[in-house]
Amino acid sequence: MQEVSVLEIAVSVAAAVVLFVYALKGFSEDVQTAGGEALKSVLARLTRTPVGGFALGAVLTALVQSSSAISGITVALAEAGTIAFRGTLPVFLGANVGTTSTAWLVTINATILAPILIVASVVASLLPGRIALYGRSIMYLGVILLALNLISGYVAPLKDDPDVALWMGYLSNPVAGFVAGAIATALLQSSSVVVGLAIIAVQQELITMYDVLPIVVGSNIGTTSTALIASMSLGATARAAAVANLAFNALGVIVFVPFMAPVASWVSAMAGEGDMAVALIHLIFNVCVAVTGFVALRPLAKRLDPDETTAKP
């Protein structure tokens, strides 16, 4: 493969990633706009119980396709007093589980729905009232799937290029993979993008299932950057919620990493070593984060809650 061809492919992949991120952001904003004040009311009501908050975080993240967006909104609403500090914590845990939906969309080849959704969005946009807004959301979802399909097609020829194989070999180092996943997610502000790209790389045999797992784990740390950044311009409650989100994910990584190899071996024995295995391990990991988080929920909330901290003599 000529060097210029690799450059052309790299530019094409970068363009598709930009399209993916743009559509993801637009879809997330449209869903939030469609929800309006009703969404805030539901958030306040359901976060009164840990189970309700967890379910809310998981469902909203699966719909919005961005745990970063949900965590950022949650932090802002906590500062505004719409959600109690303790109510934010289960939402973060649910968002981690909900974000695994992107991996399954890529794995089950839902990208074939892209043309149907785009055409359907045009029809919906011609209808009156709020339906037009939903039509635009459908368009964004179709473009998200289309971008994933484009990325998959663009990277396919790279699996036979020795230079690409050399660069991908660096990611076989678990520490390098973890750092790359965390940094890429922090830069793109979306673990969905990073995990989606990682699964496509496995599908195209650019990297093995075992080597991609540290990238996926690292993305869970990187995704907490959105809430941390959002909280910087807010008050103590928002900052405490963002720190709690980071603590949950860090604890989950600490608990899961020692068992990652045996879990990977168990999953590969059942589902092989392809994209399905990555999606399944991603789900298991985030469930592990959720379980760890619920165990640490009460002591962590007591330690970080600004109201309890300021109340101490």
Side-chain angles (χ1 to χ4, degrees):
M1 181 178 292
Q2 299 295 322
E3 185 176 352
V4 66
S5 298
V6 175
L7 178 60
E8 289 174 353
I9 291 172
V11 172
S12 298
V13 170
V17 170
V18 170
L19 184 64
F20 184 14
V21 174
Y22 172 78
L24 195 64
K25 186 174 183 293
F27 179 70
S28 176
E29 290 175 350
D30 270 11
V31 171
Q32 293 169 42
T33 301
E37 291 301 318
L39 177 60
K40 294 181 181 180
S41 175
V42 170
L43 282 169
R45 187 167 61 254
L46 292 181
T47 53
R48 291 171 186 167
T49 65
V51 174
F54 177 84
L56 181 69
V59 171
L60 285 181
T61 302
L63 290 174
V64 175
Q65 286 294 292
S66 176
S67 60
S68 298
I70 296 303
S71 62
I73 293 169
T74 302
V75 163
L77 292 178
E79 183 61 29
T82 304
I83 301 177
F85 170 76
R86 287 175 178 262
T88 66
L89 308 186
V91 177
F92 293 138
L93 297 175
N96 283 333
V97 175
T99 198
T100 62
S101 61
T102 304
W104 290 106
L105 284 175
V106 180
T107 301
I108 64 175
N109 197 25
T111 54
I112 61 175
L113 296 175
I116 298 173
L117 290 173
I118 292 174
V119 172
S121 72
V122 174
V123 176
S125 65
L126 298 175
L127 299 176
R130 294 180 65 86
I131 297 177
L133 178 60
Y134 298 138
R136 191 170 62 181
S137 299
I138 295 171
M139 168 70 83
Y140 280 131
L141 182 56
V143 173
I144 288 170
L145 297 178
L146 176 63
L148 287 171
N149 195 32
L150 289 173
I151 293 168
S152 181
Y154 287 143
V155 303
L158 295 178
K159 63 183 178 182
D160 298 321
D161 186 84
D163 293 330
V164 173
L166 178 63
W167 280 102
M168 296 303 291
Y170 293 129
L171 294 179
S172 62
N173 181 300
V175 176
F178 178 85
V179 172
I183 292 176
T185 302
L187 290 175
L188 294 172
Q189 288 292 289
S190 176
S191 60
S192 298
V193 176
V194 175
V195 173
L197 291 174
I199 290 180
I200 288 173
V202 172
Q203 289 175 335
Q204 300 299 337
E205 300 178 357
L206 292 172
I207 192 170
T208 68
M209 178 266 287
Y210 292 98
D211 292 339
V212 86
L213 295 183
I215 299 175
V216 172
V217 172
S219 72
N220 265 61
I221 298 298
T223 197
T224 63
S225 64
T226 303
L228 289 169
I229 293 171
S231 70
M232 288 179 183
S233 59
L234 300 173
T237 300
R239 289 194 294 272
V243 170
N245 187 30
L246 174 61
F248 281 142
N249 283 274
L251 283 171
V253 169
I254 292 171
V255 170
F256 181 77
V257 165
F259 303 98
M260 188 163 65
V263 168
S265 298
W266 174 66
V267 170
S268 65
M270 294 191 305
E273 297 183 1
D275 52 359
M276 183 68 72
V278 177
L280 187 55
I281 293 172
H282 186 218
L283 176 61
I284 292 172
F285 166 59
N286 280 286
V287 170
C288 177
V289 172
V291 171
T292 304
F294 270 109
V295 171
L297 191 64
R298 185 169 295 179
L300 188 63
K302 188 175 182 180
R303 184 175 184 82
L304 293 177
D305 192 337
D307 294 332
E308 292 197 16
T309 302
T310 54
K312 290 181 180 179

